[in-house]
Amino acid sequence: MAIETGKIRNVGVVGHGGVGKTSLVESLLYTAGALTRLGKVDDGSTTTDFDPDEVKRKISINTSIAFCDFKGHRINLVDTPGYGDFIADARAGLRVVEAAVVVVDAVAGVQVQTEKVWKFATEFELPRAIVVNRLDRERSDFFRTLEALGRRLKGRIVPLHIPVGEESGFRGYVDLVTQKATVFADGKASETGIPAEAADRVKEWREKLVEAAAETDDDLLAKYLEEGSLDEAEMLKALRAGITQGKIVPVLCAAATRGIGSQALLDLVIHEFPSPADRAEIGGTDLKAKQAGTRAADPKAPVSALVFKTLSDPHIGKLSLFRVYSGTLRSDSTLFNPGRGARERMGHVSWLQGKTQKNVEALGPGEIGVAQKLKETQTGDTLTDEAQPFELPRITFPEPAINFAVQPKTRGDEDKISTALSRISEEDPTVHHHFDPETKQLLISGVGSLHVEMTVERMKRKYNVDVSLLPPRIPYKETVRGRAEGQGKYKKQTGGRGQYGDTWLRVEPLPRGGGFEFVDDIFGGAVPRNFIPSVEKGVRECMKRGILAGYPIVDLKVSLFDGSYHDVDSSDMAFQIAASMGLQKVFMDAHPILLEPVMNVEVTTPAEVAGDIIGDMNSRRGRIVGMEPAGETASVRATVPMAEMLTYESSLRSMTGGRGGYSMEFSHYEEVPAFLAEKIVKEAKAEKEKAEKH
Ligand SMILES: Nc1nc2c(ncn2[C@@H]2O[C@H](COP(=O)(O)OP(=O)(O)OP(=O)(O)O)[C@@H](O)[C@H]2O)c(=O)[nH]1
Ligand SMILES: [Mg+2]
C-alpha cells in the first residue's frame, strides 16, 4: 500500500553545474543500501544520469528521480541539472519537494547557478542544507567556501561539521554538536575523538553553532546569555526546529565520490527535513466552487497530483513524472486533467529508480511516481478526481533567450522537423519553434547554445532527422520612447460594397517588461462596440510583425480615442486594417527604438589573465558587476548584450588557453545604442527587399 506520508522525505538536490549532485545522489542511494554498487558519472553508470546525452557529455540534462529507504523512512531524491541552459528543470524539481540540498564545490565556492537555485528555494519557502562537496580536491577550502556562502547567500548559514584533513588528505569531519569525529579509511567509517590539529577550529565554530541555536528561541537565548552555554540536548532540539523551519541553514562536509558525508546527510534528511504531512495544506483552485481552495495531504481526500516532468522513452513512449499532493492515486484509475479538459487512463503507476520503474498499486500523498502514455497531459498539468476537481498552480518556464535557424540536411524533411520539435517541446517546455514568414526560416529557440545543440542531437537520435544550425538571430524587440497620436483610415470603394474603417490611436511607452495594454477610450460610439475588438486585433497583429525592423513590439500602450464608421461598408476586416495602418504611422512618430537581450555572464579564468577577460568584456559593451578571486582562479561577473556573445566561446578559449569557462543566461532587455540600431534597421530593410524580390 501507499507509503505513510509522515515517513516520506522529498529532497531536491540542486547546485551549479558539475559540483557533484549526481555523484552525491548515487552515494546516498549506496549508503542507504538501495544500490549494490556505486556508479560513477565518468563511467556513465550512475542511477540518475541515464539518458544517452547525459552519458556522452557527463552532465545532467534532465531532472530525474531515485529513492531509498533509510531507518524506516522513504527518501525521494530529485537530482536536478546544474548547467544554466537546463536550470528551469531544477526549478520545476523544487516545486515538488519539501526541502533542498544545495551542493557547492569546495574549490569554486558560490557560482552563478548556486545563487539561482538559492532564489528558487527561497521562492518555494524550502528549508535547506548546504553540502560543501569535493573537499578531496586540490585547492579546495572549506572555510573560504563558508565565507563566500555567508557573503553571497541570504540566510543563517552555520556549519554542523568541519573537515578533518585537506585536499587529498581529506578523510572525514568533526560533528560540532556531538564533538566526535567520523573518519574514513578504505571506505569504512570509524568514530574517533577530535584530532588535535582541529581542536581550535572546533571550539571556534561550535561557539557559533550554539549561538545560532540559541537565537531560534527567546527563552533559550536568555538562558544562553545568562549561562554562556547550552547543553547538547537543548542545542540539538533548537537546531532541529531551526532547520525544519528554514531559520537555520546547516553546512555539511562531503566528498561524494569517496562516500564521505552521505551517512550524516541521510540522518539530517530524516530528522531535520519536514515530511509532506508537515506542510500546511496546498493551495490551488477548487474548480467546482470556482474559487481558490486547499487540499490536505490526506490519503482519503480527493486526488490531486502535479506533473512536473515529461520524458519520452524510445521503447515505452511518454513518461509523466508526478507528485501526489492529496488523496491516493491508484493504478488503472481514471483521472481528469482540468487544464486540457481531458480524462486520462492512468494504467500502471510506478516508483522510479533512475530509469527503472517499480510498479505499485497506489501512491499516497507526498509520493513521487510516474505514469506511462498519458494522452493529453503535459508538464505543469494537474491530474485530479473528476467528481471533485482541483487544480494546482502551473509550473512556469522561462522564455527562450536564443534563436537559431534550422535547415534540413535532406530536402523535403521540413514536416518531419516540425513534428520532431513538437514532440521535443512536450518533454522540454523551454524549447520553442516557429516559422518566421519574414525570413522564411524555421527558428528554434532555447535557453542557450548548448541547449539548442542538444535539441538537434535529440532530433537526430530519436526522430531520425538531421539538420544544420545557422547563426542565431538576436531576438531584438521594438518599442517607443515617446508619445504620439494620429489617424489610421482605410477606405475602399469598388463597385458594390466598399470597405470603411477609421481609427485615431495614441501610443505611449510602458515600463520594461510591461508588455501590451490596449485602452478603449471611445465615447459616444465614434467606433461601434462590436468593432473595438477588431481594432485591438489589428494592433496586435501589427505588433507581432514589427514596424521599425520587423521585430515584435513590446512595452506599448495603445489607446483608441476616436474614429468613425460607415453603416454599410464598415467591417471587422476594415477596422483591423485601419488600426494596423494607424499604428504603423503613429509608432514611427513616437520615437521608436530597438531593444536587445542582455545576458548575465560569469567567467571563470586563471587569475593571471583576469585583466584580459575584463578588457575583452568592455570591448563587448559589457558591464563588470563583480569579481571574485578564488585562489588561482578568478571569476568575473558581467552583463553583456547577447549580440556580443555569439563568438565568445572561441575567444575565451584563446585568451585562457582552454582553461577558462563561462556560463550565460538571459537577464533583461535594454535599448540598443543608436549607431547600432541604425545598422540593424538598414539590414532588416535590405533583407525584406531581398525577400520581396523572390
Ligand atoms: N574529486 C572529487 N570529484 C567529484 C566529487 N563529486 C563529484 N566529483 C566529480 O565531479 C564531476 C561532476 O560530478 P557530477 O556528479 O556529475 O556533478 P553534477 O553536479 O551532478 O553535475 P550536473 O548535473 O551536470 O550539474 C564528475 O567527474 C565526478 O566524478 C568529489 O567529492 N570529489
Ligand atoms: Mg548531475
Side-chain angles (χ1 to χ4, degrees):
M1 265 325 331
I3 307 252
E4 188 188 328
T5 309
K7 297 285 187 206
I8 299 173
R9 300 291 182 272
N10 293 316
V11 181
V13 182
V14 292
H16 193 85
V19 296
K21 298 176 290 297
T22 301
S23 307
L24 181 66
V25 166
E26 189 75 8
S27 171
L28 293 170
L29 296 172
Y30 181 74
T31 306
L35 302 177
T36 48
R37 64 179 278 276
L38 184 73
K40 290 199 182 98
V41 171
D42 302 318
D43 302 344
S45 59
T46 58
T47 310
T48 50
D49 276 2
F50 55 82
D51 185 284
D53 289 328
E54 298 181 321
V55 171
K56 179 177 152 203
R57 290 170 194 259
K58 302 186 178 30
I59 61 171
S60 303
I61 292 159
N62 288 307
T63 284
S64 39
I65 310 294
F67 67 91
C68 58
D69 291 316
F70 184 71
K71 299 187 180 167
H73 291 74
R74 162 60 53 94
I75 303 177
N76 290 315
L77 297 164
V78 180
D79 180 21
T80 68
Y83 278 88
D85 286 14
F86 312 116
I87 208 72
D89 231 32
R91 185 170 172 276
L94 287 181
R95 254 296 292 277
V96 297
V97 296
E98 276 72 41
V101 168
V102 179
V103 186
V104 296
D105 177 20
V107 181
V110 177
Q111 293 165 280
V112 182
Q113 304 307 330
T114 322
E115 292 181 305
K116 198 80 187 266
V117 296
W118 195 261
K119 281 195 193 122
F120 295 157
T122 306
E123 177 187 349
F124 301 136
E125 299 177 356
L126 296 177
R128 63 206 87 158
I130 296 171
V131 170
V132 177
N133 188 39
R134 308 220 288 186
L135 275 164
D136 57 333
R137 287 184 69 215
E138 230 177 275
R139 298 200 307 274
S140 63
D141 188 332
F142 180 76
F143 296 99
R144 186 187 65 222
T145 305
L146 205 54
E147 185 272 323
L149 288 168
R151 191 158 35 83
R152 287 177 62 181
L153 304 179
K154 271 206 192 86
R156 188 77 166 90
I157 297 169
V158 283
L160 279 192
H161 290 168
I162 62 166
V164 175
E166 284 177 1
E167 302 186 336
S168 62
F170 172 67
R171 58 189 185 281
Y173 48 85
V174 178
D175 183 322
L176 293 173
V177 179
T178 61
Q179 306 196 67
K180 293 214 173 78
T182 304
V183 173
F184 287 72
D186 302 327
K188 284 205 183 63
S190 52
E191 222 171 67
T192 66
I194 298 173
E197 84 259 18
D200 287 348
R201 279 249 154 94
V202 171
K203 194 156 173 274
E204 174 193 346
W205 287 97
R206 188 169 204 271
E207 205 48 49
K208 294 189 187 174
L209 188 62
V210 176
E211 217 173 275
E215 279 169 15
T216 59
D217 181 302
D218 287 344
D219 294 342
L220 213 56
L221 187 61
K223 186 173 175 220
Y224 170 68
L225 292 176
E226 204 167 289
E227 297 174 14
S229 70
L230 295 180
D231 62 44
E232 197 180 308
E234 280 172 327
M235 183 176 167
L236 201 60
K237 195 169 151 226
L239 281 175
R240 283 203 169 152
I243 295 168
T244 310
Q245 294 158 14
K247 285 188 198 154
I248 290 180
V249 181
V251 183
L252 278 64
C253 297
T257 43
R258 294 190 185 190
I260 304 182
S262 302
Q263 177 88 27
L265 183 58
L266 288 169
D267 277 318
L268 180 127
V269 165
I270 62 167
H271 290 130
E272 273 99 20
F273 279 175
S275 85
D278 297 332
R279 173 134 111 181
E281 298 180 319
I282 180 100
T285 312
D286 185 331
L287 296 170
K288 217 168 189 185
K290 296 200 173 62
Q291 62 184 25
T294 57
R295 284 277 191 271
D298 176 353
K300 294 199 195 69
V303 175
S304 65
L306 182 71
V307 174
F308 62 94
K309 177 84 196 164
T310 307
L311 294 170
S312 89
D313 181 289
H315 306 296
I316 307 170
K318 190 164 133 187
L319 296 175
S320 304
L321 276 57
F322 60 85
R323 145 92 196 241
V324 181
Y325 282 90
S326 65
T328 302
L329 192 157
R330 291 173 203 285
S331 264
D332 298 319
S333 58
T334 299
L335 292 176
F336 181 62
N337 179 333
R340 320 252 160 223
R343 290 205 183 103
E344 292 280 13
R345 292 270 312 146
M346 295 307 287
H348 289 307
V349 292
S350 335
W351 293 330
L352 258 188
Q353 189 66 293
K355 65 179 167 196
T356 314
Q357 301 182 39
K358 311 220 159 147
N359 286 357
V360 286
E361 255 167 51
L363 296 157
E367 286 201 71
I368 291 177
V370 61
Q372 298 174 9
K373 295 197 183 122
L374 298 185
K375 289 217 170 58
E376 310 255 347
T377 301
Q378 293 187 13
T379 305
D381 290 357
T382 300
L383 294 167
T384 182
D385 265 338
E386 191 168 5
Q388 298 187 63
F390 183 79
E391 192 168 22
L392 298 155
R394 297 196 68 78
I395 302 177
T396 52
F397 287 91
E399 285 301 311
I402 198 163
N403 284 332
F404 283 83
V406 286
Q407 236 176 14
K409 284 196 184 151
T410 317
R411 230 188 253 191
D413 257 1
E414 285 81 0
D415 284 351
K416 267 168 86 186
I417 295 177
S418 341
T419 315
L421 283 172
S422 303
R423 299 279 295 279
I424 289 173
S425 43
E426 275 187 9
E427 268 192 85
D428 179 351
T430 58
V431 174
H432 292 221
H433 65 103
H434 73 280
F435 185 75
D436 185 343
E438 197 74 29
T439 59
K440 306 215 171 13
Q441 282 178 320
L442 182 66
L443 295 180
I444 158 170
S445 338
V447 180
S449 53
L450 178 61
H451 183 219
V452 174
E453 278 164 32
M454 300 267 338
T455 305
V456 166
E457 280 178 31
R458 260 189 245 181
M459 282 168 73
K460 187 166 178 201
R461 188 164 43 78
K462 287 192 168 167
Y463 304 100
N464 205 17
V465 275
D466 215 353
V467 301
S468 35
L469 289 175
L470 303 178
R473 262 172 61 109
I474 304 294
Y476 293 109
K477 302 221 153 116
E478 303 180 1
T479 190
V480 294
R481 236 210 244 148
R483 276 166 62 110
E485 47 185 59
Q487 186 185 24
K489 186 169 175 180
Y490 180 59
K491 188 174 169 187
K492 214 168 186 183
Q493 213 64 54
T494 44
R497 197 185 144 178
Q499 293 284 355
Y500 186 93
D502 176 22
T503 58
W504 281 84
L505 301 174
R506 180 183 312 120
V507 304
E508 320 160 51
L510 288 175
R512 242 5 106 243
F516 168 57
E517 203 181 310
F518 181 76
V519 180
D520 166 12
D521 246 343
I522 292 288
F523 292 99
V527 175
R529 285 288 102 209
N530 56 321
F531 291 130
I532 288 176
S534 315
V535 173
E536 180 171 352
K537 190 160 174 223
V539 166
R540 278 185 190 273
E541 286 297 321
C542 181
M543 285 177 66
K544 243 192 258 166
R545 286 194 308 270
I547 295 170
L548 185 59
Y551 294 100
I553 297 170
V554 294
D555 304 344
L556 190 73
K557 178 168 161 183
V558 179
S559 316
L560 171 68
F561 65 94
D562 203 357
S564 63
Y565 67 102
H566 183 281
D567 280 333
V568 180
D569 292 349
S570 280
S571 67
D572 171 42
M573 191 43 74
F575 268 102
Q576 282 191 42
I577 296 173
S580 166
M581 288 166 61
L583 185 64
Q584 290 186 39
K585 196 162 68 193
V586 187
F587 185 84
M588 292 307 287
D589 290 340
H591 193 155
I593 54 171
L594 278 179
L595 301 176
E596 64 180 338
V598 174
M599 312 300 282
N600 275 329
V601 181
E602 170 156 343
V603 186
T604 46
T605 164
E608 73 263 21
V609 295
D612 299 350
I613 300 285
I614 291 174
D616 175 72
M617 279 293 174
N618 288 330
S619 74
R620 291 175 195 270
R621 299 191 281 133
R623 270 195 298 267
I624 306 296
V625 293
M627 168 140 174
E628 187 92 15
E632 287 160 38
T633 42
S635 90
V636 176
R637 285 179 291 144
T639 57
V640 194
M642 183 197 275
E644 305 288 340
M645 289 301 288
L646 296 181
T647 56
Y648 196 61
E649 227 148 337
S650 58
S651 316
L652 181 66
R653 205 177 308 129
S654 63
M655 281 185 293
T656 61
R659 286 175 299 157
Y662 79 106
S663 66
M664 173 165 94
E665 68 192 359
F666 170 73
S667 169
H668 62 279
Y669 272 89
E670 247 174 57
E671 185 175 342
V672 179
F675 71 101
L676 284 174
E678 217 171 282
K679 209 173 117 213
I680 297 164
V681 171
K682 231 186 235 159
E683 280 169 7
K685 275 208 186 106
E687 218 170 88
K688 194 169 168 199
E689 273 162 25
K690 210 172 100 198
E692 274 163 5
K693 262 189 218 144
H694 282 286

